[in-house]
Amino acid sequence: MNPSGTTSSPVIDFRVRVPSAVRPPIADGGDVYTQYEAVLDIGNGWHKGMDELLAEMDAAGVSHAVLHAEFEHGDYADALNEEVAEQVARHPGRFSGYGTVTLEPLRVMPAVRQVERAAALGLRGINVQPSFFGHAIDDRQLYPVYAKATELGLAVALHTGVNYSRRHPIDAERPERLDKVACDFPEATLIACHGSWPWIPEIVAVARRHPNLLIDFGGLAPKYIGVPGSGWDVMFRFMDRLLRDQILFATDWPVFPFQRALDQWRELGLRPETLEALMHGNAGRLLEGRKAVPV
């Protein structure tokens, strides 16, 4: 750390949404987006483009970001995968990419071929949001997707914890379901997106069991992680030492702004080595294809 309180290494945001013309209009999402907008109040942020993404990264000092082909309704997987790959090719120093698979409907072999296509495009992982499409994290129909991604060296990022659509039960995204996947795929690199709140002791226990599981905190205000009684207390204690090698800085841009996220993380009082791991070291290791060392 330098005297200004910033990390000495370049900041890597491990999950931003790819700005894409193929992304469906917000209205097409119906009450899913209506309910999300009521909670998150993103407004016109949903419509930001690549120029705005790069400008905001530059202003906040974010050197690299992982673009995710992330969506919550319909079937835009193939188009978003191609868009992510195109942007990575245009800006190889600024972006890496995670693809996705079709879940509406989920058909096993087409989904497996989408994973193969993601690897052929040079993407580094896949992002799956099962509960938005009526599936649980440990749905056996998804196992061929996890197996193919693991075989090809792609990480698997999964939406965990609360979602704000009242049509999708959050039980489908409990960390104990992710624990089952980690047990069945000990060679996989798994990422629990959004930190898994409100099941924080549960995700901490699962992460302690599985050093191949990492946790990102995209789409939430980091300041609450340090607020006693917010439900994050166990995470705040463990991430500063025992889980230091398993945490990832992420914003889910445009859901949460880069600068605000960085400022709030830096004000939490975490150890300098923890902030270094959070904002650079762990992401750099994953992007280089290196595994964490079991504790």
Side-chain angles (χ1 to χ4, degrees):
M1 297 281 287
N2 63 35
S4 66
T6 60
T7 58
S8 58
S9 300
V11 174
I12 301 173
D13 188 327
F14 212 82
R15 187 162 52 82
V16 304
R17 293 170 179 250
V18 60
S20 173
V22 304
R23 191 178 296 282
I26 295 173
D28 288 0
D31 61 356
V32 173
Y33 275 105
T34 301
Q35 290 155 10
Y36 263 81
E37 183 59 21
V39 174
L40 300 175
D41 191 25
I42 299 171
N44 291 330
W46 292 114
H47 304 291
K48 289 182 178 180
M50 183 57 65
D51 288 345
E52 290 167 293
L53 170 57
L54 286 165
E56 292 180 27
M57 287 173 62
D58 288 342
V62 176
S63 66
H64 195 88
V66 181
L67 297 176
H68 284 240
E70 189 171 322
F71 68 108
E72 290 82 14
H73 66 90
D75 179 14
Y76 305 91
D78 291 331
L80 288 173
N81 288 346
E82 299 293 331
E83 183 76 9
V84 168
E86 181 181 344
Q87 294 298 344
V88 170
R90 287 182 179 178
H91 309 278
R94 302 305 303 274
F95 298 121
S96 300
Y98 272 40
T100 191
V101 299
T102 296
L103 295 178
E104 194 173 72
L106 171 58
R107 292 178 296 176
V108 172
M109 288 313 299
V112 167
R113 287 191 283 271
Q114 287 175 315
V115 176
E116 292 174 334
R117 177 60 178 164
L121 288 169
L123 305 184
R124 311 302 299 274
I126 58 169
N127 180 299
V128 187
Q129 306 203 92
S131 72
F132 286 94
F133 300 92
H135 299 279
I137 287 173
D138 58 343
D139 189 324
R140 289 306 191 264
Q141 279 190 291
L142 285 166
Y143 268 43
V145 172
Y146 302 154
K148 179 56 67 172
T150 302
E151 176 188 347
L152 297 175
L154 302 183
V156 179
L158 293 143
H159 191 290
T160 63
V162 67
N163 69 66
Y164 298 110
S165 166
R166 292 193 291 272
R167 291 193 282 123
H168 305 108
I170 61 175
D171 177 73
E173 304 186 81
R174 289 194 67 135
E176 68 175 23
R177 295 184 181 273
L178 191 54
D179 179 59
K180 295 176 185 176
V181 175
C183 287
D184 288 334
F185 295 93
E187 298 176 17
T189 297
L190 303 170
I191 301 169
C193 300
H194 303 290
S196 301
W197 188 91
W199 297 293
I200 300 307
E202 193 170 294
I203 189 61
V204 166
V206 174
R208 282 293 289 154
R209 295 189 68 206
H210 303 286
N212 56 316
L213 171 65
L214 292 95
I215 304 164
D216 91 28
F217 301 90
L220 57 89
K223 65 181 180 181
Y224 293 115
I225 295 173
V227 175
S230 65
W232 289 100
D233 309 61
V234 175
M235 178 68 73
F236 185 66
R237 182 176 182 87
F238 273 74
M239 72 189 309
D240 208 20
R241 185 176 179 185
L242 293 176
L243 294 185
R244 181 180 298 149
D245 293 334
Q246 294 171 254
I247 53 176
L248 296 165
F249 172 73
T251 59
D252 200 16
W253 180 96
V255 175
F256 205 83
F258 300 113
Q259 191 62 62
R260 191 188 307 171
L262 290 168
D263 289 344
Q264 291 185 10
W265 276 114
R266 290 163 178 158
E267 292 168 357
L268 285 179
L270 294 167
R271 290 180 171 89
E273 54 268 36
T274 299
L275 287 177
E276 183 76 14
L278 172 79
M279 296 182 182
H280 175 80
N282 297 335
R285 185 185 72 244
L286 283 189
L287 294 176
E288 292 171 4
R290 293 183 285 119
K291 299 286 187 179
V293 177
V295 177

